[in-house]
Amino acid sequence: MTHTMDLSEVLLYLELMKKNKKNPSPPEMNLMLHFLKDYEEVKVFYGRFTELGLKMPKNYEANTLIHFIEDIEDTYKLKEIIITKRDRRVKYYFNSLFIHQILLSKTSEQAVQIWNEAKECGVDLSEVWVDRYDSQWRIKQNLEEWRKSELSYNFQYLQEMYEEFCEMKNDYFAELSLPQLKQKLLKNEVVVGDTRNEIKTIVFSRSVLIKEFARRVAKGICQLCEKEAPFLDKLGKPFLEVHHIHYLSKGGSDTIDNVVAVCPNCHRRIHHLELEKDNKKILEKALVNINV
């Protein structure tokens, strides 16, 4: 079975590691990145990692984070980060950075300019790279190959990491009462459309809390068919899935008045049939959740 984690779970994992005085190992770091969708999520991840004061693996920016970059402007920002590390082998790390910039270049002139800049920095790239400009498809291909290799190489380790995260998460939520969990969510309410980095972090961090709130309120009972959860998970909790009434993909909010916990069967029913009576019932349940 392949486990997955969304960004909110990855961010919580980082916080729980910090709380338990543990620093992520390189394999753990790579697996967490494996689950992230794009460089926007990577930047949130990197920002939170830095805020928590965790130790970044050596050369991580140049050797790993760069795989996700699809905007040439972001390569210049990454270059500044690498420079501030003041590593004696900084020129060596620029090799992959300059190649990445050439692949993202839109014109031959831009590629030549970057190639010359590399040469001035002591990075001797083969001239063949100059002809590989406007090759964003290579970036995407390289990223997918990196994802597959990391998952394949660390597959056995993934199971251990995921189980550790679930145990840490379970212990964390066990310390929070329902009112405390709700207060934590309300405290993190933000203005929609605010794009500051700190606001992004809050928004992305909320998802895992929202899911826990929805399941906690349901008390093991599906909020559509009103039957008990079909089974218990590995931690002995009723297994229910969290459904966003107004889909996130269509602009729905990740808030307590837009989520319910339902059994797997009802979850499929909602998505496949989209019956008005079902939607009305779960919306009523969600609105009641506000006053819990």
Side-chain angles (χ1 to χ4, degrees):
M1 177 181 180
T2 301
H3 299 291
T4 61
M5 297 171 70
D6 62 24
L7 178 57
S8 68
E9 292 172 315
V10 169
L11 296 178
L12 178 59
Y13 194 18
L14 289 179
E15 293 178 18
L16 295 179
M17 282 186 166
K18 177 67 175 181
K19 181 180 179 182
N20 287 276
K21 299 180 180 180
K22 176 184 177 182
N23 202 82
S25 66
E28 287 172 326
M29 291 282 290
N30 288 351
L31 284 171
M32 283 188 272
L33 274 185
H34 165 81
F35 294 124
L36 303 187
K37 294 185 296 185
D38 51 37
Y39 194 57
E40 285 302 306
E41 291 196 351
V42 170
K43 285 191 284 188
V44 174
F45 166 83
Y46 184 84
R48 189 60 183 142
F49 192 97
T50 304
E51 290 170 6
L52 292 170
L54 296 170
K55 186 178 180 181
M56 185 73 64
K58 192 174 183 181
N59 317 329
Y60 201 70
E61 293 86 355
N63 293 337
T64 304
L65 298 187
I66 194 169
H67 289 297
F68 291 81
I69 297 180
E70 295 185 13
D71 185 333
I72 196 168
E73 292 303 317
D74 285 321
T75 64
Y76 291 107
K77 296 174 184 176
L78 185 63
K79 182 178 179 181
E80 292 302 316
I81 293 175
I82 296 173
I83 290 175
T84 58
K85 295 285 184 178
R86 297 182 180 179
D87 194 299
R88 288 178 297 177
R89 297 200 301 164
V90 69
K91 291 181 181 179
Y92 171 78
Y93 306 135
F94 278 174
N95 184 77
S96 58
L97 184 67
F98 282 124
I99 290 175
H100 207 84
Q101 287 181 320
I102 289 175
L103 294 177
L104 290 174
S105 298
K106 295 302 181 183
T107 65
S108 175
E109 291 75 16
Q110 188 178 20
V112 170
Q113 181 181 350
I114 293 171
W115 185 83
N116 286 328
E117 182 184 347
K119 194 171 183 179
E120 291 173 2
C121 290
V123 178
D124 189 18
L125 295 179
S126 170
E127 289 189 38
V128 70
W129 286 107
V130 175
D131 296 324
R132 295 181 180 176
Y133 65 93
D134 198 19
S135 299
Q136 194 170 52
W137 64 271
R138 292 181 187 272
I139 302 292
K140 294 180 181 294
Q141 184 182 69
N142 291 341
L143 175 58
E144 287 310 306
E145 289 176 356
W146 179 85
R147 287 184 193 275
K148 290 178 182 178
S149 64
E150 285 301 318
L151 187 60
S152 175
Y153 185 74
N154 295 306
F155 187 77
Q156 295 298 324
Y157 192 77
L158 173 61
Q159 178 73 24
E160 298 175 17
M161 186 187 91
Y162 188 78
E163 289 182 356
E164 178 189 59
F165 167 66
C166 288
E167 290 176 4
M168 293 170 71
K169 181 177 67 171
N170 188 54
D171 292 341
Y172 170 70
F173 283 135
E175 297 174 358
L176 291 176
S177 65
L178 185 57
Q180 289 174 325
L181 180 59
K182 182 178 179 181
Q183 187 59 36
K184 197 174 184 69
L185 284 168
L186 295 177
K187 183 180 179 181
N188 283 343
E189 289 287 356
V190 296
V191 178
V192 176
D194 196 325
T195 58
R196 291 175 298 166
N197 287 335
E198 61 268 29
I199 297 300
K200 281 185 180 180
T201 303
I202 290 174
V203 171
F204 283 128
S205 299
R206 286 167 50 80
S207 181
V208 66
L209 301 178
I210 290 289
K211 292 175 182 176
E212 174 65 16
F213 179 86
R215 293 190 180 101
R216 190 87 66 91
V217 169
K219 298 179 180 179
I221 305 297
C222 172
Q223 292 189 291
L224 181 57
C225 69
E226 299 183 353
K227 296 180 180 178
E228 290 186 0
F231 59 89
L232 302 180
D233 63 22
K234 289 185 176 181
L235 296 174
K237 292 185 175 183
F239 184 85
L240 293 174
E241 298 177 346
V242 176
H243 170 71
H244 287 80
I245 302 169
H246 300 294
Y247 301 161
L248 295 178
S249 60
K250 295 183 179 180
S253 61
D254 200 19
T255 51
I256 59 178
D257 59 344
N258 191 44
V259 292
V260 288
V262 293
C263 66
N265 189 50
C266 282
H267 202 184
R268 303 301 178 273
R269 170 191 170 107
I270 293 170
H271 280 279
H272 285 286
L273 300 182
E274 296 187 330
L275 298 176
E276 185 177 346
K277 64 176 184 178
D278 289 347
N279 224 42
K280 181 179 178 181
K281 182 173 182 177
I282 57 178
L283 182 57
E284 291 173 351
K285 290 290 182 69
L287 292 176
V288 170
N289 291 347
I290 299 176
N291 299 316
V292 171

